């Protein structure tokens, strides 16, 4: 009797689980269909333009610039892009966003901290107080891990994780960041929202689309407070805030309202004191992290995940041509946290007149930001129409939608860019080169597809021996040029 009841209960539980799972699957499929329909309406691209920041917000020790998120191509990719320029001894105050981000260090160096909820303060020191009574009352400094950052670093930031950055160098620190507002981790709207924990954030920080309308309506209600927005502590009841932190109400008032407008990048009067390992210890830690990644990445816990990877180091290049340039990438394989963020990035460097092979992005949009020099980029849509064919320069960006074909050629001595990809394992498929689509096609397929001779089909298939980066004046280019010259001579003789 007991066995029969247990069997009936088990069957009922399995049936209930199956029905629930089926309902969840239907909801997920419905959401995916809605998302696909939204993407289809947003990506009817007829023309692309090189974009520059539209809003510039000055703080005490730096500048923040935002690209217009309502631009058609940024709406297509469902991303927001902004840039921080932090002066020496400038501190980007702690904040968190509603979407995962990738931050690229364009210039300079500094230190970065991210606070993961529920994780311990692993950087600790003993109390240095002289008095025994003071030592018993005060504990030594302790905080979560801080990381040195430098030019070429890509920093991964999950949604909702508070983070800060300090410029401890002598030159300015420039950071360009992409927020993936279309990511499933963002449960709000499609606009970037910044939640600032300190400083006195300007109203314009919340400045795009729906967020902008909301900020303006709130500002009109505040009347005279107008142009200054507040950090997230400002609206709490003063007494409740004091009780929550176990502080007096005078200090609570100072947290809620600053005496002067400093913005979100504030100046540190003296050196910022944080616990940080010496350089030798940092190098040892880096080697340990690299060995851990090389094993399988499973040893990394949520609290100890690696957040940065340098793609400016030539020794890490995935593709290298001494006369042409190099390409490096960071993705879910060499930075495992990107499996959760579903983002990746590539750094490209081309020498003058070198070409990055024509290709398309198989499973991601590509947001290309120029970090140095200038070059020509051509982008072609599914209709075989050119949607972008311009010289693009340092500080500009352009979006290459998924599957649109693109080619880059350097116009300056060095043409450098970083491409943010909306997939943790983004892939490209080349049109030309040794690993291209045409190289893998049968000769007769090429011959009949283009109505050309078998000899021309073989030339199209095999004339380019380089892989991804085509150096200027390569043998295949010289051969092609000489063939064109001979053809022109034959045509001139026929005319005469």
């Amino acid at each position: 009797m007991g066995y029969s009841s247990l069997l009936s209960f088990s069957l009922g539980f399995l049936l209930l689980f199956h029905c629930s799972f089926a309902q969840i699957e239907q909801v997920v499929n419905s959401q995916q269909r809605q998302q696909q329909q939204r993407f289809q309406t947003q990506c009817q691209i007829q023309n692309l333009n090189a974009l520059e920041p539209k809003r510039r917000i000055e703080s005490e020790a730096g500048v923040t610039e935002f690209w217009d998120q309502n631009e058609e191509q940024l709406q297509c990719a469902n991303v927001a892009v902004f840039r921080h320029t932090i002066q020496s001894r400038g501190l980007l105050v702690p904040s968190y966003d509603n979407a995962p981000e990738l931050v690229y260090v364009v210039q300079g160096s500094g230190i970065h901290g991210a606070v993961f909820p529920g994780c311990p303060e692993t950087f600790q020191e003993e109390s240095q107080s002289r008095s025994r009574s003071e030592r018993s009352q005060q504990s030594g400094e302790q905080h979560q891990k801080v990381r040195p950052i430098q030019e070429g670093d890509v920093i991964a930031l999950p949604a909702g994780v508070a983070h800060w950055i300090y410029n401890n160098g002598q030159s300015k620190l420039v950071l360009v960041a992409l927020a993936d507002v279309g990511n499933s981790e963002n449960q709000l709207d499609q606009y970037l929202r910044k939640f600032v924990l300190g400083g006195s954030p300007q109203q314009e920080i919340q400045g795009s689309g729906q967020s902008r309308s909301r900020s303006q309506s709130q500002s009109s209600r505040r009347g005279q407070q107008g142009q200054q927005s507040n950090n997230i502590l400002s609206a709490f009841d003063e007494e409740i805030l004091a009780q929550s932190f176990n502080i007096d109400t005078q200090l609570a008032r100072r947290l809620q309202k600053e005496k002067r407008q400093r913005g979100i990048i504030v100046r540190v009067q003296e050196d910022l004191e944080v616990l940080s390992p010496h350089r030798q210890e940092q190098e040892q830690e880096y080697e340990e992290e690299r060995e851990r990644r090389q094993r399988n990445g499973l040893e990394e816990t949520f609290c100890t995940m690696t957040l940065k990877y340098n793609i400016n180091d030539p020794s890490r290049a995935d593709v290298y041509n001494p006369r042409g340039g190099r390409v490096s990438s960071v993705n879910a394989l060499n930075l495992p946290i990107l499996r959760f963020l579903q983002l990746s990035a590539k750094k490209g460097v081309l020498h003058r007149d070198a070409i990055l092979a024509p290709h398309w992005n198989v499973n991601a949009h590509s947001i290309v930001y120029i970090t140095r020099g200038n070059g020509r980029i051509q982008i072609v849509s599914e209709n075989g129409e050119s949607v972008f064919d311009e010289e693009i320069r340092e500080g500009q960006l352009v979006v290459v939608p998924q599957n649109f074909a693109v080619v880059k050629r350097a116009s300056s001595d060095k043409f450098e860019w970083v491409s943010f990809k909306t997939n943790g394992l983004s892939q490209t498929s080349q049109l030309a080169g040794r690993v291209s689509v045409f190289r893998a096609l049968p000769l007769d397929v090429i011959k009949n597809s283009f109505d050309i001779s078998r000899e021309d089909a073989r030339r199209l298939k095999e004339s380019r021996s380089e892989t991804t980066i085509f150096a200027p004046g390569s043998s295949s280019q010289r051969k092609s040029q000489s063939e064109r010259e001979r053809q022109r001579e034959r045509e001139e003789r026929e005319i005469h």
Side-chain angles (χ1 to χ4, degrees):
M1 187 72 176
Y3 175 77
S4 175
S5 299
L6 180 61
L7 180 62
S8 300
F9 175 78
S10 300
L11 291 173
F13 178 78
L14 288 173
L15 180 62
L16 177 64
F17 177 78
H18 177 74
C19 294
S20 300
F21 184 78
Q23 291 175 348
I24 293 173
E25 189 175 20
Q26 288 177 356
V27 171
V28 171
N29 290 336
S30 175
Q31 291 176 342
Q32 288 177 343
R33 285 194 297 271
Q34 291 175 2
Q35 191 176 38
Q36 289 173 357
Q37 290 172 359
R38 180 160 58 90
F39 286 164
Q40 288 170 1
T41 58
Q42 289 179 345
C43 287
Q44 302 299 323
I45 300 293
Q46 302 298 324
N47 187 54
L48 295 169
N49 298 298
L51 302 180
E52 296 185 358
K54 289 294 186 181
R55 290 184 293 122
R56 176 185 172 91
I57 304 169
E58 295 189 3
S59 295
E60 180 184 47
V63 174
T64 302
E65 299 165 288
F66 289 88
W67 275 259
D68 184 2
Q69 201 180 330
N70 291 311
E71 284 282 354
E72 184 181 25
Q73 52 189 299
L74 293 179
Q75 288 279 316
C76 171
N78 237 354
V79 298
V81 185
F82 55 96
R83 182 171 62 204
H84 294 299
T85 302
I86 306 174
Q87 299 171 9
S88 179
R89 288 191 176 180
L91 171 66
L92 179 64
V93 299
S95 66
Y96 59 91
D97 299 341
N98 61 322
E101 294 178 11
L102 281 188
V103 180
Y104 179 76
V105 182
V106 179
Q107 176 185 335
S109 61
I111 53 178
H112 165 257
V115 180
F116 286 88
C119 294
E121 296 84 15
T122 54
F123 282 34
Q124 302 176 349
E125 70 172 353
E126 295 182 358
S127 174
Q128 300 297 318
S129 301
R130 296 180 181 179
S131 167
R132 180 175 299 178
S133 60
E134 289 180 354
R135 189 179 300 120
S136 63
Q137 294 175 1
Q138 296 180 356
S139 61
E141 166 73 314
Q142 55 185 12
H143 52 71
Q144 287 194 18
K145 181 177 180 178
V146 297
R147 302 161 181 85
I149 57 174
Q150 62 181 348
E151 181 178 336
D153 278 345
V154 172
I155 307 166
L157 295 172
V161 170
H163 58 275
W164 56 270
I165 293 174
Y166 175 66
N167 181 358
N168 61 357
Q170 298 302 313
S171 60
K172 63 183 179 180
L173 175 60
V174 181
L175 314 162
V176 61
L178 174 136
D180 183 16
V181 294
N183 194 287
S184 61
E185 293 296 308
N186 175 22
Q187 300 293 302
L188 297 176
D189 53 36
Q190 62 181 339
Y191 292 97
L192 173 67
R193 299 194 195 183
K194 284 191 166 292
F195 299 81
V196 183
L197 299 179
S200 47
Q202 300 90 333
Q203 182 186 15
E204 294 82 5
I205 291 295
Q206 312 293 353
S208 293
Q210 297 173 3
S211 297
R212 187 177 211 170
S213 301
R214 188 181 65 253
S215 295
Q216 290 174 346
S217 63
Q218 290 174 347
S219 174
S220 62
R221 288 197 300 269
R222 286 195 298 264
Q224 294 300 322
Q225 297 176 6
Q227 297 305 313
Q228 179 175 335
S229 185
N230 298 310
N231 62 54
I232 65 171
L233 301 180
S234 301
F236 286 113
D237 179 81
E238 180 183 298
E239 185 176 345
I240 293 178
L241 188 66
Q243 291 176 354
S244 297
F245 284 95
N246 193 23
I247 58 177
D248 57 57
T249 53
Q250 183 179 0
L251 178 55
R253 281 194 294 271
R254 291 197 62 183
L255 296 178
Q256 292 182 313
K257 183 72 173 178
E258 284 206 339
K259 295 181 179 178
R260 54 196 175 93
Q261 178 75 25
R262 296 193 298 163
I264 62 170
I265 305 174
V266 301
R267 189 174 308 282
V268 177
Q269 298 304 322
E270 299 178 0
D271 287 338
L272 192 74
E273 294 185 6
V274 297
L275 301 178
S276 180
H278 297 298
R279 182 174 182 84
Q280 185 176 358
E281 294 172 315
Q282 291 172 357
E283 291 175 352
Q284 181 179 355
E285 180 185 11
Y286 166 73
E287 292 298 328
E288 291 174 354
E289 288 178 351
R290 186 171 67 172
E291 290 176 4
R292 184 164 61 245
R293 288 196 298 268
Q294 288 175 345
R295 289 197 293 270
N296 56 20
L298 297 178
E299 294 86 350
E300 289 189 314
T301 66
F302 180 76
C303 293
T304 60
M305 275 190 169
T306 304
L307 298 185
K308 66 176 182 124
Y309 186 91
N310 193 285
I311 55 174
N312 202 39
D313 184 353
S315 66
R316 291 183 173 180
D318 301 312
V319 177
Y320 175 65
N321 184 324
R323 296 177 55 245
R326 67 180 189 272
V327 175
S328 306
S329 61
V330 57
N331 53 38
L333 298 179
N334 50 18
L335 191 59
I337 193 174
L338 296 180
R339 289 180 298 189
F340 305 103
L341 272 60
Q342 279 301 297
L343 293 169
S344 56
K346 286 191 175 183
K347 173 66 184 293
V349 178
L350 288 181
H351 303 316
R352 183 182 291 274
D353 294 330
I355 294 174
L356 183 72
H359 64 277
W360 70 86
N361 294 280
V362 174
N363 57 355
H365 298 300
S366 180
I367 297 84
V368 182
Y369 176 82
I370 311 304
T371 59
R372 186 167 302 161
N374 59 288
R376 182 182 180 186
I377 297 181
Q378 291 182 291
I379 304 173
V380 179
S381 70
E382 75 277 12
N383 298 321
E385 298 176 347
S386 174
V387 294
F388 186 84
D389 184 2
E390 295 181 17
E391 282 283 319
I392 189 169
R393 65 179 186 275
E394 180 178 338
Q396 294 182 321
L397 70 79
V398 66
V399 174
V400 183
Q402 178 185 4
N403 296 146
F404 280 42
V406 57
V407 64
K408 301 181 181 76
R409 185 178 68 185
S411 301
S412 57
D413 289 337
K414 270 197 175 181
F415 178 45
E416 301 184 20
W417 69 91
V418 59
S419 297
F420 299 102
K421 312 276 187 172
T422 56
N423 192 304
L425 288 171
S426 62
Q427 297 175 324
T428 60
S429 184
Q430 290 184 200
L431 287 165
R434 189 157 49 87
V435 293
S436 67
V437 170
F438 285 102
R439 188 74 172 227
L441 289 174
L443 277 176
D444 269 18
V445 171
I446 299 175
K447 171 180 176 295
N448 287 279
S449 296
F450 292 96
D451 191 22
I452 57 179
S453 68
R454 191 175 179 83
E455 179 184 351
D456 287 339
R458 185 179 299 279
R459 189 178 301 115
L460 179 64
K461 177 184 171 80
E462 300 176 356
S463 63
R464 173 63 72 179
S465 60
E466 295 163 298
T467 304
T468 301
I469 297 177
F470 306 152
S474 61
S475 57
S476 55
Q477 287 178 314
R478 289 194 297 269
K479 180 179 178 182
S480 175
Q481 184 177 0
S482 62
E483 288 176 350
R484 287 195 299 268
E485 291 175 352
R486 286 196 296 271
Q487 177 66 23
R488 188 162 53 248
E489 291 174 357
R490 286 196 297 269
E491 292 174 353
E492 290 176 354
R493 283 197 299 270
E494 290 174 359
I495 292 174
H496 293 306

